[in-house]
Each structure stands twice: as C-alpha cells, then as structure tokens.
C-alpha cells in the first residue's frame, strides 16, 4: 500500500511577520497547515538552521546588500538578511504550529559554505539531506508540500521531489511567497512544467 507524507517547509518565526526574513502573510497559513497535519499520518518538517556568519547572509559579504545575487562555487546565490540562526528564537517553529506529530525534522543550511533551499538537496544539487532515502525506506511514494516560501524552499523541494520519483503536490493555499522580481510566477511555471500538481483550495 503506497503511503503519503505531508512535508511542512520552514514554518519558522523568522519567515513569519516580525521575523528577520518575513514572508507577507506567512503566519496566515498556520491553521490550514495544522488541519492538514491532523489529517495526515506521516508528517515531516524542514527547519532552516544556519550557523552565524553563514555564506548566504549579506552581512558576510562587505558592501553587499540583502537580496543582491552573487556567484558562489555552486552557482548564483541570493543574499539574505541574517535569519534562522541555530538555536535562536527566529529559528524556532511558529508557536501556533502543531509540530509535535512530526516523525522527522530535516535541518538544512547548516553547512557554512553552501545554502540549502530544498528539503532533498543542498544548493549544489548533489549533497543530499537523506530525505529521499528515508521516504523510500518507509514505503512513501507521494508527498504534499506546504509552508514558506512558495518560490524558494517549497518550489525547490517540489522540483527535487519529482526528480527523486515522488508523486508531488503543492498546496498553494497553504504556502506564501517572497516574490523577488516575479519569482513566484516563474517558479509556479517551473513546477507545473516539471509535473508538480499545483492545488489551491482557498475558494473551497
């Protein structure tokens, strides 16, 4: 019997209003995500988990501003405000999130020299987090993704999930985006073309 899992991406304080890298309306999705958690047997969370001075922080590059892009050994990298520093309040899950049911928490971005958007791979697209192997060993072949942010960690996780052979759905009504220079629309197109099922139940 094929199993499915809900993967909740980075629903952390720093990505919610008032946080260091706040996604507009990021906290609005918490009740819906909690509802999905209640209705799903297998729940996995991801947690952005950066050491201080991470290479993706604009503050680590003198003269650079947040949201500028630089070249890293693994390709272009958007620079971010310092966020989700290990053990900080900002790295904690949103206090309203019903996270205790999670069977696994995947921490990402803990290697200083490389950023990590996807739940499956670091941004070099070769260093694995181990999530694909975990899901396959558990007999899970279908995943639904929710969380923050639609156009970065959710989208890259969904694209990698498809590449790893999982039947993949993104619930857009349970996500919110950052939208840098039209990035939401661009990533929705990429996900659709890759075979990700995009669902929006907000009108239901």
């Amino acid at each position: 019997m094929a199993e499915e899992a809900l993967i909740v991406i980075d629903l952390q304080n720093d990505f919610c209003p008032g946080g260091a890298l706040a996604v507009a309306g990021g906290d609005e999705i918490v009740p819906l995500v909690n509802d999905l958690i209640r209705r799903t047997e297998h729940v996995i969370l991801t947690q952005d988990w950066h050491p201080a001075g991470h290479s993706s922080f604009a503050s680590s590059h003198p003269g650079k501003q947040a949201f500028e892009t630089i070249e890293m050994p693994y390709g272009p990298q958007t620079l971010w405000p310092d966020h989700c520093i290990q053990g900080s309040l900002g790295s904690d899950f949103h206090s309203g999130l019903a996270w205790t049911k999670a069977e696994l928490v995947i921490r990402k971005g803990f290697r200083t020299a490389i950023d990590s958007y996807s739940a499956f791979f670091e941004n070099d697209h070769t260093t694995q987090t181990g999530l694909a192997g975990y899901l396959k060993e558990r007999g899970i072949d279908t995943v639904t993704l929710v969380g923050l942010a639609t156009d970065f960690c959710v989208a890259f996780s969904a694209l990698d999930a498809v590449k790893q052979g999982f039947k993949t759905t993104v619930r857009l009504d349970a996500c919110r985006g950052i939208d840098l220079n039209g990035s939401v629309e661009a990533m929705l197109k990429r996900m659709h073309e890759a075979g990700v099922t995009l669902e929006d139940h907000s009108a239901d």
Side-chain angles (χ1 to χ4, degrees):
M1 163 82 179
E3 297 275 357
E4 56 184 277
L6 178 71
I7 304 176
V8 181
I9 304 287
D10 297 359
L11 238 175
Q12 295 164 260
N13 290 328
D14 267 347
F15 295 124
C16 291
L21 183 48
V23 179
D27 53 349
E28 297 168 1
I29 65 174
V30 171
L32 177 53
V33 171
N34 285 346
D35 193 42
L36 292 167
I37 288 172
R38 273 192 291 274
R39 292 188 277 134
T40 310
E41 189 179 350
H42 302 295
V43 177
I44 289 153
L45 304 182
T46 69
Q47 188 175 23
D48 224 24
W49 195 248
H50 295 305
H54 192 268
S55 61
S56 71
F57 295 166
S59 61
S60 299
H61 303 272
K64 295 290 182 187
Q65 300 295 316
F67 310 112
E68 283 185 39
T69 302
I70 62 164
E71 273 305 313
M72 296 288 269
Y74 51 85
Q77 171 67 50
T78 301
L79 295 178
W80 304 107
D82 292 22
H83 66 282
C84 295
I85 291 169
Q86 296 168 358
S88 68
L89 189 61
S91 70
D92 287 350
F93 294 118
H94 185 281
S95 61
L97 182 66
W99 59 267
T100 53
K101 192 176 171 185
E103 299 175 355
L104 179 71
V105 176
I106 289 278
R107 286 180 165 161
K108 56 195 186 57
F110 56 80
R111 294 177 177 88
T112 303
I114 186 165
D115 205 9
S116 183
Y117 296 155
S118 167
F120 294 91
F121 288 93
E122 304 280 9
N123 284 7
D124 60 2
H125 307 297
T126 54
T127 305
Q128 299 199 33
T129 64
L131 179 56
Y134 175 86
L135 293 171
K136 286 170 183 172
E137 283 188 11
R138 301 284 309 280
I140 293 166
D141 69 353
T142 303
V143 296
T144 297
L145 289 99
V146 298
L148 305 172
T150 314
D151 40 339
F152 285 92
C153 296
V154 173
F156 284 101
S157 297
L159 292 169
D160 282 343
V162 169
K163 276 189 207 138
Q164 295 292 300
F166 296 99
K167 189 165 175 261
T168 306
T169 298
V170 171
R171 276 286 301 265
L172 293 172
D173 49 326
C175 300
R176 292 291 183 272
I178 295 176
D179 210 15
L180 285 181
N181 308 316
S183 53
V184 168
E185 197 174 328
M187 292 309 285
L188 290 177
K189 184 168 182 280
R190 269 183 72 181
M191 286 192 282
H192 177 70
E193 287 171 354
V196 176
T197 302
L198 301 173
E199 290 185 4
D200 189 337
H201 296 250
S202 51
D204 291 1

